[in-house]
Amino acid sequence: MTIIDQDRRTATSDESAYWVPACAFAALVPGRGVAVLLPDGRQVALFLLDDDTLQAVGNLDPYTGAAVMSRGLTGDRAGEPTIASPLLKQVFSLRDGRALDDERITLPTYAVRVEEGLVQVGWSEQA
């Protein structure tokens, strides 16, 4: 379950066991991604959107296996925030990670929060 705080910058999840520091919130540029390395080697693509919300999905493109999603193009499809792979242009929901044109394929999603100006990504060993 994801909960968005009132300031709309922080998403939290009760499934996260640990919070991994990513970067200063002030360093994020709306629409541009940041790659974050988790302790187990997984990569996360972190985005600040134009509406000041944060979203995090897996950085590996499930179609190519390349770690490129943080370089994807953010957008909107019928009100749903999206990320398009920079390689083959498949479009994914930033909310739940599903490919919008092939719902058999998904990106993992991660909880995000801001603590004292530092963006943190939720991490658990079973995810």
Side-chain angles (χ1 to χ4, degrees):
M1 179 173 105
T2 299
I3 301 168
I4 305 297
D5 285 353
Q6 291 179 349
D7 71 0
R8 299 179 50 88
R9 290 188 302 182
T10 305
T12 60
S13 171
D14 53 7
E15 299 171 4
S16 298
Y18 305 99
W19 293 98
V20 177
C23 63
F25 180 82
L28 295 174
V29 176
R32 292 194 178 172
V34 173
V36 179
L37 183 62
L38 297 178
D40 62 1
R42 285 180 286 160
Q43 295 183 33
V44 174
L46 171 68
F47 297 93
L48 172 64
L49 302 181
D50 289 335
D51 64 359
D52 218 21
T53 60
L54 292 167
Q55 299 288 341
V57 296
N59 196 36
L60 291 179
D61 179 334
Y63 290 96
T64 65
V68 296
M69 296 309 292
S70 61
R71 301 206 176 231
L73 299 172
T74 59
D76 178 283
R77 190 181 281 185
E80 183 158 357
T82 61
I83 180 69
S85 170
L87 296 178
L88 300 177
K89 311 301 185 222
Q90 285 88 4
V91 178
F92 299 86
S93 166
L94 279 170
R95 289 185 182 139
D96 60 16
R98 67 188 155 81
L100 296 183
D101 298 318
D102 182 357
E103 295 196 10
R104 297 173 298 160
I105 305 295
T106 60
L107 294 171
T109 59
Y110 297 88
V112 183
R113 72 179 184 186
V114 179
E115 290 286 326
E116 299 180 6
L118 181 65
V119 179
Q120 300 173 334
V121 175
W123 173 73
S124 63
E125 293 181 40
Q126 70 264 23

